[in-house]
Amino acid sequence: MAPNHSNENGSIGSSLHGVTAREQIFSFSVEDAPWSQAIRSDDPTAKFALPVDSEHRAKVFKPLSFAKPHMRAFHLGWISFFTCFISTFAAAPLVPVIRDNLDLTKTDIGNAGVASVSGAIFSRLAMGAVCDLLGARYGTAFSLMLSAPAVFSMSFVADAGSYLAVRFMIGFCLATFVSCQYWTSVMFTGKIIGLVNGCAGGWGDMGGGVTQLLMPMVFHVIKLTGATPFTAWRFAFFIPGFLQIIMGVLVLTLGQDLPDGNLSTLQKSGQVSKDKFSKVFWFAVKNYRTWILFVLYGFSMGVELTINNVISGYFYDRFNLTLHTAGIVAASFGMANFFARPFGGYASDVSARLFGMRGRLWTLWILQTVGALFCIWLGRASSLPIAILAMMLFSVGTQAACGALFGVAPFVSRRSLGLISGLTGAGGNFGSGVTQLVFFSSSRFSTAEGLSLMGVVAVVCTIPVAFIHFPQWGSMFLRPSQHEERSKEEHYYGGEWTEEEKSLGLHEGSIKFAENSRSERGRKAVLADIPTPETGSPAHV
Amino acid sequence: MAVQTFLFASLIIFSSIESNHGATEVSLFANLENSLEVTAKPTRVGVVLEAGKDMVRITWMLKSSAKVNDDAAFKTVEVKLCYAPISQVDRPWRKTHNELSRDRSCPHKIVSKPYDKIPQSLNWTIDRETPTGTYFIRAYGTDVNGYEVAYGQSSDAEKTTNLFSVEGISGRHTSLDIASICFSVFSFGSLLVFLVKEKRKAKLQQRK
């Protein structure tokens, strides 16, 4: 097997070299060493179904395989995330029935929608810590099985207050986004992690679309058995509840935390020393780019989450569709995630190959702005076919923007990589809470007006991407710095460590990452022949 | 992929272009004659009525003040349950609209009877699926083609008098509650069992 070229320009997935900051990093590339081939024939990596790197992470992505442990972890991860999306948005297509049962006002419905996405702001931040301490398996299982009771408790709901409380508690399970991405990051090597995470994220997000089809169908079937609508919708929630329990059990029995085994039974050796949380937190928060991405994701994923909550009711009320048909239309919004999000990640990788980081930023801006423009059009469309067309184009633009954003995020920081992913993810939920509160929770705007206004605000809030500037790569409008020191990747990533930490060699991982990230110079990276500068650290052999 | 989406969407557009042809005559509420006299008397007055249990006695007839041939166009009378303004507050899906095809304030059909010159009445048991709210009754006189030509309602023009309140069923069932509790306990329980089992396994491994 020919050795892989780790620094190949813009190979798919070179963007997301490890989503969390916890991977083992070596000071020189073990994969390319000629003697690594000889080792493989009689070393334990031979037992893996897929070719693996020196950390036993899979080097190949085979979506149709369920081989233990890598592909199995991928499938368990994205299906768990998918199931949580189904539960969180299960109420949305049934709102026309629920609002009559509980005598809800538009404000009540809007507030419950805000609540359904707010819980995850905190649970997503906490999930990173849980995965570190207990492993991705338990993180996922906790999320699934501790929120399943909340799903079942829809049978007790009798008024607006309890409805809101239950939707809030169900919303906590969206933390599976973090555990799913964490799990794939420890199972798949950096070169392909972009595509793997884009698929896992996109296919999981599809749950928001599938639920718009599934719940009306389940509701209809239960009504056929003779139940009144006001009982049928409560019983319908048992289905997402069951799915969560089943997935929880599967994750615990079939899943594995790490390629070599489970966290609790593994003897850990040669582990990179754990970084201090306070430092990681400070460098994430101090970096202004983190907050720009927070806002941006709030208006791509945030808009997507909001639409999952309001679109079915919008088509039901405005175009007089049946619950079932409105569900089908709404579902197509979420289902576009199947290809749209991976496409966004891929487009980001391709533009990086040609134009470097500047290409990624432009791709992100274009996709998100175009998506938002189609959202404005959706609100203004008064005929059903035009509305559907606008919605489809809007969905592709916005979801691809989500994928493209995670092509930029890993480069913002190396030390605080995991926390930035968590913060960005929380930003998505925050944006959704804000948009639902402002545009869809009062009678001030009709839903149609709300959609158009949300699109306008999304266009405006996408402009900050022009301010993301990397000294070594430039920004949308500015060229990279010409300064000798600042134009090096090592300077940017090394800047996150103090001199004391550097003298201890703690920053080695960042330096390696900086070398690999030279691909973000675009075509110029091929021409540049920059040796790794002396960083003042003791030589490591 | 974007191209495929575009083609699919254009297919939908072109196949639906027909749907707006043959634009129908628009009936406006403002154009209707208030020539029907409608009364609605709940069997229990002054209390909130229960859906599926309580009854309302509805009567309708041509108003005595109506001119001689006002009812010439009527073929059928459609009696509907309508939301009072208080039940429409902050609920745009129940909005009153002048264009009758877009009006959402009278979604619940009670009965549809052929028009008879004699006063008609009905003892209507409130439908079990009626949502909680405050209501009045309206009857539309429709012509041969089904278009409304006249109406009458049990309340006044501002819809403030003679309203009655209905309490809908909760939809909750004890069996559902019990099942919900059982499955929740199972969910927590199985998680605990796994945690304990794995801790034990880890301890055994350490001893080895």
Side-chain angles (χ1 to χ4, degrees):
Chain A
M1 206 182 298
N4 288 306
H5 300 281
S6 3
N7 291 335
E8 190 182 285
N9 238 349
S11 51
I12 292 177
S14 58
S15 57
L16 261 158
H17 177 81
V19 174
T20 68
R22 307 265 180 254
E23 293 81 351
Q24 289 178 297
I25 301 292
F26 299 96
S27 38
F28 47 87
S29 173
V30 178
E31 302 156 50
D32 283 358
W35 44 267
S36 67
Q37 306 299 324
I39 286 179
R40 198 164 293 147
S41 53
D42 46 29
D43 90 334
T45 59
K47 72 174 190 272
F48 292 116
L50 298 173
V52 295
D53 64 11
S54 50
E55 297 166 276
H56 296 174
R57 294 194 291 175
K59 287 159 85 167
V60 164
F61 175 54
K62 285 200 184 138
L64 295 176
S65 147
F66 281 84
K68 198 173 151 168
H70 309 99
M71 288 316 306
R72 204 176 275 193
F74 170 77
H75 287 295
L76 286 171
W78 82 259
I79 296 178
S80 304
F81 183 38
F82 176 85
T83 307
C84 288
F85 248 86
I86 289 183
S87 303
T88 306
F89 296 106
L94 297 178
V95 157
V97 178
I98 301 174
R99 68 191 178 196
D100 277 344
N101 189 184
L102 306 177
D103 199 21
L104 303 176
T105 60
K106 186 172 179 187
T107 311
D108 294 329
I109 296 171
N111 289 340
V114 173
S116 68
V117 295
S118 308
I121 295 174
F122 310 104
S123 63
R124 280 184 173 189
L125 292 173
M127 182 54 83
V130 171
C131 286
D132 275 336
L133 296 170
L134 297 170
R137 240 180 6 130
Y138 274 117
T140 311
F142 274 14
S143 199
L144 287 166
M145 295 176 93
L146 294 180
S147 58
V151 178
F152 289 118
S153 61
M154 270 298 188
S155 56
F156 294 100
V157 162
D159 59 11
S162 47
Y163 175 64
L164 187 142
V166 169
R167 284 208 75 183
F168 178 70
M169 290 192 293
I170 296 177
F172 279 112
C173 71
L174 283 181
T176 34
F177 168 68
V178 177
S179 64
C180 169
Q181 305 266 290
Y182 184 100
W183 209 358
T184 49
S185 304
V186 300
M187 287 288 178
F188 292 88
T189 195
K191 275 197 292 273
I192 52 168
I193 195 62
L195 182 63
V196 175
N197 275 347
C199 287
W203 297 354
D205 289 346
M206 263 201 321
V210 166
T211 198
Q212 318 271 359
L213 277 175
L214 178 73
M215 295 307 283
M217 209 160 31
V218 170
F219 171 71
H220 187 69
V221 165
I222 297 172
K223 266 202 309 180
L224 287 177
T225 63
T228 60
F230 292 172
T231 305
W233 76 264
R234 296 165 187 277
F235 197 26
F237 269 80
F238 276 58
I239 303 298
F242 288 152
L243 285 175
Q244 279 190 227
I245 295 182
I246 292 171
M247 278 317 298
V249 169
L250 284 177
V251 161
L252 288 171
T253 51
L254 296 179
Q256 202 173 297
D257 289 315
L258 297 162
D260 294 323
N262 284 324
L263 205 59
S264 55
T265 53
L266 256 187
Q267 296 288 344
K268 283 183 274 186
S269 57
Q271 186 84 315
V272 169
S273 60
K274 277 201 190 294
D275 205 347
K276 268 201 221 143
F277 178 73
S278 54
K279 289 264 179 178
V280 168
F281 185 77
W282 173 242
F283 281 110
V285 163
K286 196 172 82 152
N287 198 329
Y288 74 93
R289 300 173 192 84
T290 307
W291 300 106
I292 296 183
L293 289 183
F294 182 90
V295 169
L296 243 66
Y297 203 55
F299 283 93
S300 55
M301 175 52 83
V303 165
E304 191 186 323
L305 294 176
T306 298
I307 294 288
N308 278 338
N309 263 335
V310 308
I311 197 73
S312 175
Y314 175 66
F315 277 100
Y316 180 87
D317 288 332
R318 182 151 187 198
F319 299 103
N320 298 322
L321 305 178
T322 61
L323 211 65
H324 191 67
T325 315
I328 295 176
V329 172
S332 11
F333 177 85
M335 305 278 253
N337 260 305
F338 182 74
F339 60 85
R341 188 165 174 146
F343 164 73
Y346 179 69
S348 185
D349 284 345
V350 166
S351 51
R353 212 182 301 165
L354 299 171
F355 306 109
M357 176 56 73
R358 296 180 78 182
R360 288 192 192 274
L361 295 169
W362 271 102
T363 306
L364 174 55
W365 181 81
I366 290 171
L367 287 171
Q368 194 156 326
T369 304
V370 165
L373 289 172
F374 282 123
C375 182
I376 299 175
W377 191 24
L378 170 64
R380 297 178 70 91
S382 48
S383 81
L384 184 63
I386 304 281
I388 294 179
L389 174 64
M391 188 194 73
M392 290 311 302
L393 294 169
F394 160 44
S395 71
V396 172
T398 302
Q399 288 156 11
C402 292
L405 192 142
F406 274 90
V408 173
F411 294 97
V412 169
S413 161
R414 177 61 184 81
R415 191 170 184 181
S416 313
L417 197 39
L419 191 58
I420 287 181
S421 295
L423 269 170
T424 309
N429 284 67
F430 181 75
S432 178
V434 166
T435 48
Q436 284 183 81
L437 193 62
V438 173
F439 299 119
F440 300 102
S441 295
S442 67
S443 289
R444 188 154 169 230
F445 309 115
S446 68
T447 310
E449 285 168 355
L451 286 168
S452 294
L453 285 170
M454 182 171 71
V456 170
V457 174
V459 171
V460 169
C461 289
T462 307
I463 291 171
V465 76
F467 297 110
I468 295 183
H469 179 79
F470 290 94
Q472 68 273 31
W473 299 316
S475 63
M476 272 169 73
F477 296 107
L478 295 172
R479 262 183 241 150
S481 169
Q482 302 298 321
H483 192 273
E484 204 202 296
E485 270 236 18
R486 281 203 293 266
S487 63
K488 307 265 195 304
E489 287 82 358
E490 283 77 6
H491 178 87
Y492 179 80
Y493 294 109
E496 294 181 320
W497 304 87
T498 63
E499 283 309 315
E500 194 194 313
E501 287 164 336
K502 282 186 191 171
S503 66
L504 292 168
L506 294 171
H507 68 308
E508 293 291 316
S510 288
I511 297 303
K512 168 120 178 83
F513 181 74
E515 283 173 28
N516 286 333
S517 70
R518 258 197 264 292
S519 54
E520 296 308 305
R521 290 178 179 238
R523 281 175 293 198
K524 292 197 194 113
V526 185
L527 306 168
D529 188 8
I530 306 165
T532 310
E534 282 298 311
T535 51
S537 61
H540 285 261
V541 176
Chain B
M1 278 298 171
V3 175
Q4 285 180 349
T5 314
F6 177 70
L7 286 173
F8 173 65
S10 4
L11 190 70
I12 297 182
I13 301 174
F14 288 122
S15 59
S16 321
I17 274 179
E18 294 298 317
S19 62
N20 284 327
H21 279 214
T24 50
E25 194 182 286
V26 169
S27 319
L28 297 174
F29 184 72
N31 293 345
L32 299 183
E33 288 281 332
N34 187 349
S35 36
L36 286 172
E37 177 101 24
V38 178
T39 63
K41 283 198 177 55
T43 44
R44 296 191 300 149
V45 191
V47 294
V48 176
L49 307 169
E50 287 177 51
K53 289 200 184 139
D54 286 315
M55 291 204 304
V56 180
R57 185 170 172 77
I58 309 171
T59 66
W60 62 93
M61 62 183 182
L62 193 66
K63 271 192 178 155
S64 43
S65 54
K67 296 180 215 95
V68 180
N69 267 331
D70 252 354
D71 58 350
F74 293 12
K75 254 289 172 166
T76 10
V77 175
E78 283 185 10
V79 185
K80 290 188 174 170
L81 187 67
C82 303
Y83 289 109
I86 193 166
S87 283
Q88 291 177 300
V89 169
D90 204 12
R91 294 178 178 89
W93 56 89
R94 292 180 184 170
K95 218 158 101 172
T96 307
H97 211 282
N98 203 12
E99 236 181 271
L100 286 171
S101 58
R102 292 171 65 178
D103 180 52
R104 301 267 159 269
S105 60
C106 300
H108 307 288
K109 196 167 128 176
I110 296 176
V111 79
S112 184
K113 280 209 172 147
Y115 175 67
D116 204 336
K117 292 213 188 256
I118 330 169
Q120 300 253 351
S121 69
L122 171 70
N123 275 334
W124 177 63
T125 312
I126 301 175
D127 206 23
R128 217 169 137 222
E129 290 170 16
T130 308
T132 306
T134 308
Y135 300 91
F136 63 95
I137 306 283
R138 182 182 285 173
Y140 287 110
T142 57
D143 67 8
V144 193
N145 299 318
Y147 294 121
E148 296 85 356
V149 287
Y151 79 100
Q153 58 193 32
S154 63
S155 182
D156 61 359
E158 279 80 46
K159 299 177 259 185
T160 51
T161 57
N162 283 337
L163 305 170
F164 56 93
S165 292
V166 175
E167 176 85 31
I169 55 169
S170 73
R172 290 183 54 188
H173 273 281
T174 330
S175 51
L176 217 60
D177 294 344
I178 294 175
S180 163
I181 295 175
C182 286
F183 285 118
S184 304
V185 168
F186 176 73
S187 184
F188 271 134
S190 41
L191 190 63
L192 270 170
V193 165
F194 271 110
L195 268 167
V196 167
K197 266 175 80 177
E198 292 231 352
K199 278 235 157 74
R200 286 214 188 121
K201 230 202 268 178
K203 278 202 186 131
L204 284 171
Q205 284 260 348
Q206 273 194 335
R207 280 191 213 141
K208 277 188 190 165

